[in-house]
Amino acid sequence: MAETIIADPERALALSYVPREGRAGLAALWALDEMLGAILRSGRDPMVSQLRLTWWHDALCRLDQAPPPAQPLLTQLASAVLPSGVTGAALAAMIEGWEVLVDPDPIPDDALVDYADARGGGLFAAAGVMLGSARDPVRLAGQGWALVDLARHSGDPALAARALALAVPLLDKAMAVRWHRVVRPMGMLARLAMMDARAGTLPLPQQGSPARVLRMLRHRATGR
């Protein structure tokens, strides 16, 4: 199976600390998230973006009933993620978060919360199942992480500021405990998200800086 390339440098670094047996599955989860984000960023017509998201939603749901079609990412999800107990329907539910962003009208805070839970909460929860620990608040951390990631990529400063404000209490609660070793790769990303949300400054700091890498490694070593 070809190695999955993760574009985000901090996600790629966190992935390198996942045990080898879980690395392909988590890489597939990250690749799915990056691909869904690319659909929205590249789509000028909201209707076309919605149609593409709907196709992926249906394709992921079908993984629970039938072998995947000849599509590389679906094949990798079926072989490396579903055997861990994560269902295709659970993966498809992540798309419901992305769909919140399709509508160009102003997004209210309650819709941002829905986006954060479906996309980030669903992604981190799936990773927790796959990595083997549900003892840490991974879903809560994922919600905060998704809001910070939205702020990083949004071209709307007002939306980005609201997303960061909503992320602070979620990440403060999620990162108040020592994370179990097996899910610390996800905690590495949540710790950076908490730093960004607390700072609340736009644009957000450049990814992959030495200070950010050191903070990731500290969390990997200590769980905090």
Side-chain angles (χ1 to χ4, degrees):
M1 181 181 296
E3 181 181 359
T4 302
I5 304 299
I6 304 302
D8 184 297
E10 291 173 349
R11 298 188 204 187
L13 176 60
L15 182 64
S16 71
Y17 285 92
V18 175
R20 183 172 298 276
E21 61 271 17
R23 201 171 298 166
L26 187 55
L29 287 179
W30 283 128
L32 175 63
D33 185 76
E34 290 190 348
M35 184 273 299
L36 295 173
I39 288 176
L40 265 69
R41 287 193 296 273
S42 62
R44 297 182 180 180
D45 185 340
M47 184 174 295
V48 173
S49 296
Q50 181 62 66
L51 288 172
R52 293 180 67 189
L53 291 176
T54 299
W55 185 92
W56 274 96
H57 185 281
D58 294 346
L60 291 168
C61 285
R62 283 195 295 271
L63 293 180
D64 293 331
Q65 285 84 39
Q71 201 287 336
L73 181 53
L74 289 173
T75 300
Q76 187 168 8
L77 290 166
S79 63
V81 176
L82 267 61
S84 70
V86 178
T87 66
L91 298 176
M94 292 166 48
I95 294 177
E96 296 169 13
W98 286 106
E99 287 175 334
V100 171
L101 308 181
V102 172
D103 191 335
D105 290 338
I107 304 171
D109 285 358
D110 59 346
L112 285 177
V113 171
D114 291 341
Y115 149 81
D117 184 54
R119 179 207 171 185
L123 175 66
F124 273 52
V129 169
M130 197 173 57
L131 295 175
S133 177
R135 287 181 287 175
D136 297 298
V138 288
R139 188 174 192 104
L140 195 65
Q143 293 169 13
W145 168 86
L147 288 164
V148 174
D149 191 66
L150 173 61
R152 177 174 296 281
H153 293 99
S154 175
D156 181 345
L159 174 64
R162 287 194 294 120
L164 291 178
L166 289 170
V168 170
L170 297 170
L171 291 165
D172 280 352
K173 183 175 181 180
M175 306 311 294
V177 300
R178 184 183 298 276
W179 280 50
H180 190 276
R181 181 173 295 275
V182 298
V183 286
R184 287 181 192 173
M186 308 307 292
M188 294 164 75
L189 299 168
R191 179 63 64 178
L192 294 181
M194 188 180 76
M195 291 168 47
D196 293 339
R198 280 182 172 178
T201 56
L202 294 169
L204 294 178
Q206 183 177 0
Q207 291 181 293
S209 69
R212 291 173 72 86
V213 170
L214 286 174
R215 190 61 187 92
M216 293 177 74
L217 297 180
R218 178 182 169 190
H219 180 86
R220 177 67 182 85
T222 67
R224 291 190 178 275

